[in-house]
């Protein structure tokens, strides 16, 4: 009898770490967002009401799962509010719509600072010389299951959604990138044909952005920070796809097509087309001197 009891207890001990999280998740998903939480979700995305009803339901479900599974930690004295949690969760889950997903299964902790934070980094200079440096950061994505965000910049990106910069979209794009096994600008795409097309288009546009950045041209819809590496190019392209889709589709049609295939949504469905730009005065259209560009400052 004792042997049977021991066997049962052992089986329960083995099964509990698997069964209990699934049970608690089902319980969490069975509870819809409260009215106040729903209002916070809508404030986190100015275009929320323009989403199709099915996308709204998907987003709400994933936000509930995200909040249930991820830990938020306030840093430098910041107290993380429920509105902060829902804002970050909603914008992160926007990248997962229409895709089978475990909602960032490798991620467990989001560290939130009040504003830009300082990080110690080693910079490699000419001849391979390594120099310790302190850099101000708006966000970081780590391969050990952590993301770090500046709340001031999260809020700024929320208020000016179509401004082109969104730190949540940027850092969570890095999380998607890492799902393929490395941060190299090519997330898991599923088929060899998809990788060939992705590589051809993104390599070309990345090279073009590097050239534009080297010349100091500011005429691209893509932020020059994307020229620092293929991984940063993918993250910047993701930001632009979800915040300035009309401009990206007009100036980088093939890149927009690849991102549309990967993300399985078209943000033009819920973001209005921007008004045409006013014509520039003649003196502003004259060629400007090429400014110097310091790659090491990125």
């Amino acid at each position: 009898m004792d042997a049977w009891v021991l066997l049962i207890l052992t089986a329960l001990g083995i099964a509990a770490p698997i069964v209990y999280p699934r049970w608690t998740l089902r319980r969490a998903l069975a509870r819809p967002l409260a009215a106040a939480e729903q209002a916070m979700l809508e404030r986190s995305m100015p275009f929320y009401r323009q989403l199709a009803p099915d996308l709204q339901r998907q987003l709400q479900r994933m936000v509930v799962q995200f909040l249930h599974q991820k830990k938020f930690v306030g840093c430098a004295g910041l107290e993380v509010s429920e509105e902060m949690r829902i804002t970050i969760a909603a914008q992160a889950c926007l990248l997962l719509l229409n895709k089978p997903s475990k909602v960032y299964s490798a991620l467990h902790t989001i560290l939130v600072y009040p504003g830009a934070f300082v990080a110690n980094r080693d910079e490699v200079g000419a001849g391979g010389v390594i120099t310790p440096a302190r850099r101000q950061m708006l966000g970081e994505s780590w391969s050990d299951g952590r993301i770090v965000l500046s709340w001031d910049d999260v809020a700024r990106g929320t208020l000016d959604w179509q401004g082109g910069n969104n730190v949540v979209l940027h850092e969570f794009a890095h999380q998607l990138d890492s799902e393929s096994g490395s941060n190299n600008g090519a997330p898991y795409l599923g088929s060899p044909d998809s990788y060939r097309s992705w590589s051809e288009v993104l390599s070309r546009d990345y090279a073009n952005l590097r050239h534009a950045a080297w010349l100091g041209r500011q005429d691209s819809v893509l932020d020059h920070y994307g020229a620092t590496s293929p991984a940063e190019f993918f993250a910047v392209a993701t930001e632009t796809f979800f915040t300035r889709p009309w401009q990206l589709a007009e100036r980088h049609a093939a890149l927009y097509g690849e991102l549309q295939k990967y993300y399985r949504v078209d943000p033009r469905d819920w973001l209005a087309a921007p008004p045409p730009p006013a014509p520039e005065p003649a003196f502003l259209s004259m060629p400007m001197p090429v400014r110097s560009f310091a790659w090491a400052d990125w």
Side-chain angles (χ1 to χ4, degrees), residues 200-211:
E200 178 183 344
V201 172
L202 271 76
S203 295
R204 181 195 63 212
D205 282 23
Y206 171 58
N208 290 341
L209 185 63
R210 284 176 59 88
H211 184 65

PDB file of all heavy atoms in Angstrom, residues 200-211:
ATOM      1  N   GLU A 200      16.213  38.008 -49.869  1.00  0.00           N
ATOM      2  CA  GLU A 200      16.450  38.853 -51.047  1.00  0.00           C
ATOM      3  C   GLU A 200      15.953  40.276 -50.809  1.00  0.00           C
ATOM      4  O   GLU A 200      16.674  41.247 -51.072  1.00  0.00           O
ATOM      5  CB  GLU A 200      15.740  38.248 -52.258  1.00  0.00           C
ATOM      6  CG  GLU A 200      15.879  39.080 -53.524  1.00  0.00           C
ATOM      7  CD  GLU A 200      15.098  38.492 -54.693  1.00  0.00           C
ATOM      8  OE1 GLU A 200      14.697  37.314 -54.617  1.00  0.00           O
ATOM      9  OE2 GLU A 200      14.872  39.224 -55.669  1.00  0.00           O
ATOM     10  N   VAL A 201      14.739  40.413 -50.311  1.00  0.00           N
ATOM     11  CA  VAL A 201      14.143  41.740 -50.155  1.00  0.00           C
ATOM     12  C   VAL A 201      14.789  42.504 -49.000  1.00  0.00           C
ATOM     13  O   VAL A 201      15.186  43.665 -49.153  1.00  0.00           O
ATOM     14  CB  VAL A 201      12.621  41.623 -49.929  1.00  0.00           C
ATOM     15  CG1 VAL A 201      12.028  42.978 -49.564  1.00  0.00           C
ATOM     16  CG2 VAL A 201      11.946  41.074 -51.181  1.00  0.00           C
ATOM     17  N   LEU A 202      14.901  41.867 -47.827  1.00  0.00           N
ATOM     18  CA  LEU A 202      15.429  42.594 -46.684  1.00  0.00           C
ATOM     19  C   LEU A 202      16.908  42.899 -46.821  1.00  0.00           C
ATOM     20  O   LEU A 202      17.362  43.954 -46.375  1.00  0.00           O
ATOM     21  CB  LEU A 202      15.151  41.830 -45.384  1.00  0.00           C
ATOM     22  CG  LEU A 202      13.787  42.193 -44.752  1.00  0.00           C
ATOM     23  CD1 LEU A 202      12.640  41.526 -45.495  1.00  0.00           C
ATOM     24  CD2 LEU A 202      13.743  41.848 -43.272  1.00  0.00           C
ATOM     25  N   SER A 203      17.673  42.005 -47.445  1.00  0.00           N
ATOM     26  CA  SER A 203      19.100  42.293 -47.657  1.00  0.00           C
ATOM     27  C   SER A 203      19.284  43.507 -48.551  1.00  0.00           C
ATOM     28  O   SER A 203      20.125  44.368 -48.296  1.00  0.00           O
ATOM     29  CB  SER A 203      19.799  41.080 -48.270  1.00  0.00           C
ATOM     30  OG  SER A 203      19.801  39.995 -47.382  1.00  0.00           O
ATOM     31  N   ARG A 204      18.460  43.590 -49.594  1.00  0.00           N
ATOM     32  CA  ARG A 204      18.564  44.726 -50.516  1.00  0.00           C
ATOM     33  C   ARG A 204      18.180  46.031 -49.819  1.00  0.00           C
ATOM     34  O   ARG A 204      18.909  47.030 -49.903  1.00  0.00           O
ATOM     35  CB  ARG A 204      17.646  44.498 -51.718  1.00  0.00           C
ATOM     36  CG  ARG A 204      17.705  45.619 -52.769  1.00  0.00           C
ATOM     37  CD  ARG A 204      16.536  45.517 -53.723  1.00  0.00           C
ATOM     38  NE  ARG A 204      15.268  45.712 -53.013  1.00  0.00           N
ATOM     39  CZ  ARG A 204      14.131  45.119 -53.352  1.00  0.00           C
ATOM     40  NH1 ARG A 204      14.081  44.283 -54.381  1.00  0.00           N
ATOM     41  NH2 ARG A 204      13.025  45.368 -52.674  1.00  0.00           N
ATOM     42  N   ASP A 205      17.061  46.027 -49.099  1.00  0.00           N
ATOM     43  CA  ASP A 205      16.625  47.267 -48.453  1.00  0.00           C
ATOM     44  C   ASP A 205      17.543  47.648 -47.295  1.00  0.00           C
ATOM     45  O   ASP A 205      17.738  48.838 -47.012  1.00  0.00           O
ATOM     46  CB  ASP A 205      15.183  47.120 -47.977  1.00  0.00           C
ATOM     47  CG  ASP A 205      14.186  47.276 -49.109  1.00  0.00           C
ATOM     48  OD1 ASP A 205      14.580  47.063 -50.275  1.00  0.00           O
ATOM     49  OD2 ASP A 205      13.018  47.598 -48.845  1.00  0.00           O
ATOM     50  N   TYR A 206      18.101  46.657 -46.632  1.00  0.00           N
ATOM     51  CA  TYR A 206      19.072  46.942 -45.569  1.00  0.00           C
ATOM     52  C   TYR A 206      20.319  47.608 -46.151  1.00  0.00           C
ATOM     53  O   TYR A 206      20.810  48.612 -45.619  1.00  0.00           O
ATOM     54  CB  TYR A 206      19.437  45.644 -44.860  1.00  0.00           C
ATOM     55  CG  TYR A 206      20.580  45.751 -43.875  1.00  0.00           C
ATOM     56  CD1 TYR A 206      20.529  46.638 -42.808  1.00  0.00           C
ATOM     57  CD2 TYR A 206      21.706  44.939 -44.004  1.00  0.00           C
ATOM     58  CE1 TYR A 206      21.572  46.723 -41.898  1.00  0.00           C
ATOM     59  CE2 TYR A 206      22.749  45.017 -43.101  1.00  0.00           C
ATOM     60  CZ  TYR A 206      22.685  45.907 -42.046  1.00  0.00           C
ATOM     61  OH  TYR A 206      23.726  45.993 -41.148  1.00  0.00           O
ATOM     62  N   ALA A 207      20.805  47.076 -47.256  1.00  0.00           N
ATOM     63  CA  ALA A 207      21.976  47.676 -47.900  1.00  0.00           C
ATOM     64  C   ALA A 207      21.673  49.099 -48.356  1.00  0.00           C
ATOM     65  O   ALA A 207      22.513  50.003 -48.220  1.00  0.00           O
ATOM     66  CB  ALA A 207      22.415  46.820 -49.086  1.00  0.00           C
ATOM     67  N   ASN A 208      20.478  49.323 -48.889  1.00  0.00           N
ATOM     68  CA  ASN A 208      20.106  50.668 -49.327  1.00  0.00           C
ATOM     69  C   ASN A 208      20.032  51.636 -48.145  1.00  0.00           C
ATOM     70  O   ASN A 208      20.434  52.804 -48.258  1.00  0.00           O
ATOM     71  CB  ASN A 208      18.757  50.632 -50.053  1.00  0.00           C
ATOM     72  CG  ASN A 208      18.838  49.956 -51.403  1.00  0.00           C
ATOM     73  OD1 ASN A 208      19.922  49.812 -51.975  1.00  0.00           O
ATOM     74  ND2 ASN A 208      17.707  49.522 -51.919  1.00  0.00           N
ATOM     75  N   LEU A 209      19.513  51.149 -47.001  1.00  0.00           N
ATOM     76  CA  LEU A 209      19.428  52.014 -45.825  1.00  0.00           C
ATOM     77  C   LEU A 209      20.819  52.340 -45.291  1.00  0.00           C
ATOM     78  O   LEU A 209      21.090  53.472 -44.878  1.00  0.00           O
ATOM     79  CB  LEU A 209      18.582  51.344 -44.740  1.00  0.00           C
ATOM     80  CG  LEU A 209      18.319  52.197 -43.492  1.00  0.00           C
ATOM     81  CD1 LEU A 209      17.507  53.441 -43.833  1.00  0.00           C
ATOM     82  CD2 LEU A 209      17.592  51.379 -42.418  1.00  0.00           C
ATOM     83  N   ARG A 210      21.720  51.374 -45.303  1.00  0.00           N
ATOM     84  CA  ARG A 210      23.100  51.637 -44.876  1.00  0.00           C
ATOM     85  C   ARG A 210      23.741  52.696 -45.764  1.00  0.00           C
ATOM     86  O   ARG A 210      24.446  53.587 -45.276  1.00  0.00           O
ATOM     87  CB  ARG A 210      23.919  50.342 -44.911  1.00  0.00           C
ATOM     88  CG  ARG A 210      23.637  49.405 -43.754  1.00  0.00           C
ATOM     89  CD  ARG A 210      24.401  48.099 -43.899  1.00  0.00           C
ATOM     90  NE  ARG A 210      25.835  48.290 -43.955  1.00  0.00           N
ATOM     91  CZ  ARG A 210      26.636  48.336 -42.891  1.00  0.00           C
ATOM     92  NH1 ARG A 210      26.121  48.218 -41.685  1.00  0.00           N
ATOM     93  NH2 ARG A 210      27.933  48.485 -43.035  1.00  0.00           N
ATOM     94  N   HIS A 211      23.500  52.602 -47.054  1.00  0.00           N
ATOM     95  CA  HIS A 211      24.074  53.581 -47.984  1.00  0.00           C
ATOM     96  C   HIS A 211      23.487  54.965 -47.721  1.00  0.00           C
ATOM     97  O   HIS A 211      24.225  55.969 -47.681  1.00  0.00           O
ATOM     98  CB  HIS A 211      23.795  53.146 -49.423  1.00  0.00           C
ATOM     99  CG  HIS A 211      24.418  54.039 -50.454  1.00  0.00           C
ATOM    100  ND1 HIS A 211      25.788  54.167 -50.606  1.00  0.00           N
ATOM    101  CD2 HIS A 211      23.858  54.867 -51.387  1.00  0.00           C
ATOM    102  CE1 HIS A 211      26.043  55.012 -51.577  1.00  0.00           C
ATOM    103  NE2 HIS A 211      24.900  55.458 -52.068  1.00  0.00           N
TER     104      HIS A 211
END
